[in-house]
Structure formats: C-alpha cells, structure tokens
C-alpha cells in the first residue's frame, strides 16, 4: 500500500538523525511554503512571475527549486519576486 508524503515524513521524523537535519532547514522550508503560497494566491504561473520580474521562467524555477534543496536566492531576487506577487519581504532575526 502506498503512503502519502505526509505519512512518510511523519514516519521519518521519528528518526533523530532525520529530525536534526530537517530542523536545520526549517527556515528554508517555511520560506518556500510562503513563496509558493504567495504565487498561487496571486494566481500566477512561474512564467508570468518571470515575465513581470524581467527574467526567465527557468530562473524562477531555480529560485523555487533552490529553496527546496536548501539554497537561498539573493535578497534582490526575493524582493523582486515578493513585489510581483503583491507581497513585501521581511527578514528578521528571532
């Protein structure tokens, strides 16, 4: 029987080594969730975001994929992305 993604992650989270590595990427995962939610709420495709940013769809895809793999884009790229999807970028140390 197949498991859902959430079921697999829940199972993996029981492993302390997995949990430690996952926790290290919490900020990146949260930012990725926010970025994808903002684009979806704006009703835009990657290609539409790219056009409005003055860049290519592959560049937007790399930004989103990079966040999923733990690679952070530049602040200027994030600011432009936020503006296009009707949001503001806030960075905080907590």
């Amino acid at each position: 029987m197949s498991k859902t993604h959430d079921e697999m992650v829940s199972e993996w989270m029981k492993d302390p080594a997995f949990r430690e590595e996952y926790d290290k990427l919490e900020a990146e995962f949260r930012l990725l969730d926010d970025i994808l939610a903002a684009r979806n709420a704006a009703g835009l495709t990657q290609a539409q975001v790219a056009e409005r940013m003055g860049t290519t769809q592959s560049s937007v895809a790399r930004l989103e994929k990079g966040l999923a793999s733990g690679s952070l884009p530049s602040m200027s790229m994030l600011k432009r992305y936020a503006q296009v999807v009707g949001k503001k970028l806030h960075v905080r140390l907590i």
Side-chain angles (χ1 to χ4, degrees), residues 31 35 63 67 73-82 89:
L31 181 57
I35 281 177
L63 178 148
L67 284 169
S74 71
M75 290 295 290
S76 64
M77 178 70 106
L78 288 172
K79 285 178 188 177
R80 289 178 23 223
Y81 189 103
L89 179 66

Side-chain angles (χ1 to χ4, degrees), residues 28-40 81 85 87:
E28 287 88 345
F29 289 146
R30 191 173 332 119
L31 181 57
L32 175 61
D33 287 345
D34 290 347
I35 281 177
L36 295 177
R39 180 166 61 80
N40 288 329
Y81 189 103
V85 298
K87 301 290 182 181

Side-chain angles (χ1 to χ4, degrees), residues 56-91:
T56 63
Q57 181 274 329
S58 61
S59 180
V60 171
R62 278 193 307 276
L63 178 148
E64 292 177 358
K65 183 179 180 186
L67 284 169
S69 64
S71 174
L72 291 176
S74 71
M75 290 295 290
S76 64
M77 178 70 106
L78 288 172
K79 285 178 188 177
R80 289 178 23 223
Y81 189 103
Q83 182 179 18
V84 164
V85 298
K87 301 290 182 181
K88 291 182 180 181
L89 179 66
H90 293 270
V91 178

